[in-house]
């Protein structure tokens, strides 16, 4: 369960910025949008708005980067770079390390884990544990070494085994540390996906449709969305080199044949009713999902696997550009899954970036779930929740029209569009 995620000096985020999923005291949609643990009440997700190039995607990339470093830093060699870019528009930050920190709950124990890192090395790393209310350190890493506390015995003796570009937590996991293993598993269930480049998630959906226990929920979801087909068939076919396009260079074909030897191709077909002249059903027709269904249907199919995987496991799903290629009602349907007691029985959380302002009206989001990202005049992004926003010294009331206010620019985080008629006039005069 995610409580907070913070990032600083990374891409367009110069200063520390935090997404907080701890529910505030406001009384909105308490029966659907929050869930309670022994420690606190948490939100089932958040929605992030902002103009193009404001930093929405960069915030999600920060989440993805932290996850990648936690899960993969141990596998790198000592010469590998870490793929971290600081805020480059300021002389104080361009050479400084980036900051990442996450607060989360595992088995009713709160952990706070973070690190400071540049492209070549880990500058600092820390892990705190709060079994009751007081927070105690498990280990602290600084430039001059790693201090392992007595309540983290699994880390003893691993200090000298940790490379400069490897996380100590990942090293402890490799040596079967119990706490480290639990935390690495939490990060494994902290999934970030792209709503633009979603083809790669099809395999997850395919596996879930192959499983009888998970396929029923997916098929029921497709039918309720009225995507234009009645059913789906899936099958595996041995890869056939004859299916390559004729214009691919022969050298590339030979390489691909070698790489894909013994591989399977996923064949996904949708089932449609066939009618006669009197509009009576006379049979069925199969369509190829990729080539004969819409871009929106393909996207929904591709991301539905990761969605239901998180819903079943109770993890965190972070999606950039969720609404791309989707009708607003389909986007709404996806978000409602996570606020549904029927589908979200394990308190999964959904965080996503979007331009779909309809959700500010129809989505039934609380003010502490709505976030805005905006860049200042120096190119630095900032993010703030609607519940924090003040107008004339007062917080925004829950009965305001959030969508109307946002479009009118009351909350910021919208593009500044000049007088387009001037552009047209200047163009015509040339």
């Amino acid at each position: 369960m995610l409580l907070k995620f913070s990032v600083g000096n990374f891409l367009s985020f110069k200063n520390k910025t935090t997404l907080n999923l701890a529910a505030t005291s406001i009384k909105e949609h308490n029966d659907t949008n929050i869930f309670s643990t022994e420690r606190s009440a948490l939100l089932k997700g958040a929605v992030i708005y902002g103009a193009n190039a404001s930093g929405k995607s960069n915030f999600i990339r920060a989440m993805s980067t932290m996850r990648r470093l936690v899960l993969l830093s141990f596998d790198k060699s000592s010469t590998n770079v870490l793929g971290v870019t600081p805020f480059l528009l300021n002389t104080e930050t361009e050479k400084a390390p980036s900051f990442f920190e996450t607060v989360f709950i595992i088995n009713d124990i709160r952990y706070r884990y973070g690190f400071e890192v540049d492209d070549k090395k880990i500058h600092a790393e820390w892990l705190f544990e709060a079994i009751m209310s007081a927070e105690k350190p498990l280990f602290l890493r600084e430039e001059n070494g790693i201090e392992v506390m007595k309540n983290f015995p699994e880390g003893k003796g691993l200090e000298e085994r940790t490379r400069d570009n490897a996380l100590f937590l990942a090293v402890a996991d490799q040596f079967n540390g119990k706490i480290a293993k639990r935390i690495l598993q939490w990060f494994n269930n902290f999934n970030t996906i792209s709503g633009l480049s979603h083809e790669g998630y099809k395999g997850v959906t395919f596996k879930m449709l192959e499983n009888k226990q998970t396929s029923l929920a997916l098929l029921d979801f497709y039918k309720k969305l009225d995507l234009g087909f009645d059913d789906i068939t899936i099958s595996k076919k041995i890869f056939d080199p004859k299916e390559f396009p004729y214009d691919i260079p022969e050298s590339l074909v030979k390489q691909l044949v070698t790489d894909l030897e013994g591989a399977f191709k996923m064949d996904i077909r949708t089932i449609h009713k066939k009618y006669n002249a009197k509009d009576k059903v006379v049979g069925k027709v199969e369509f190829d999902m990729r080539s004969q269904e819409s871009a929106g249907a393909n996207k929904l199919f591709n991301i539905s696997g990761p969605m239901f995987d998180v819903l079943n496991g109770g993890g965190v799903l972070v999606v950039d550009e969720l609404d791309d290629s989707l009708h607003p009602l389909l986007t709404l349907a996806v978000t409602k899954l996570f606020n549904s007691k029927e589908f979200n029985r394990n308190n999964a959380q959904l965080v996503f970036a979007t331009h779909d302002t309809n959700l500010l009206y129809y989505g039934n989001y609380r003010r502490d779930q709505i976030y805005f990202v905006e860049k200042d005049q120096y190119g630095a992004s900032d993010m703030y929740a609607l519940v924090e926003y003040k107008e004339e010294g007062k917080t925004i009331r829950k009965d305001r029209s959030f969508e109307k206010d946002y479009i009118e620019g009351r909350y910021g985080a919208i593009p500044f569009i000049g007088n387009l008629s001037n552009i047209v006039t200047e163009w015509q005069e040339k």
Side-chain angles (χ1 to χ4, degrees), residues 230-231 233 270-275 281-287:
D230 301 296
D231 206 348
T233 65
T270 57
I271 309 300
H272 296 255
K273 294 185 180 74
K274 187 175 184 178
Y275 301 88
V281 178
V282 294
K284 295 181 179 179
V285 179
E286 292 187 0
F287 285 2

Side-chain angles (χ1 to χ4, degrees), residues 66 70 100-104 106 109-115 124-130 135-141 146-149 151-155 168-170 172-173 177-184 187:
M66 184 176 193
V70 170
F100 300 89
E101 185 180 75
T102 307
V103 182
F104 49 94
I106 304 175
I109 299 175
R110 188 178 75 243
Y111 294 96
R112 178 165 65 89
Y113 173 66
F115 46 83
E125 186 180 0
W126 56 91
L127 176 62
F128 288 82
E129 178 185 70
E135 187 181 70
K136 296 180 180 179
L138 296 184
F139 70 81
L140 297 171
R141 178 181 186 175
I146 303 171
E147 182 183 5
V148 179
M149 311 305 174
N151 50 347
F152 193 65
E154 65 196 63
F168 184 65
L169 180 70
D173 171 67
K178 292 182 180 179
I179 295 175
K181 185 171 288 188
R182 285 200 297 268
I183 294 175
L184 267 285
F187 273 99

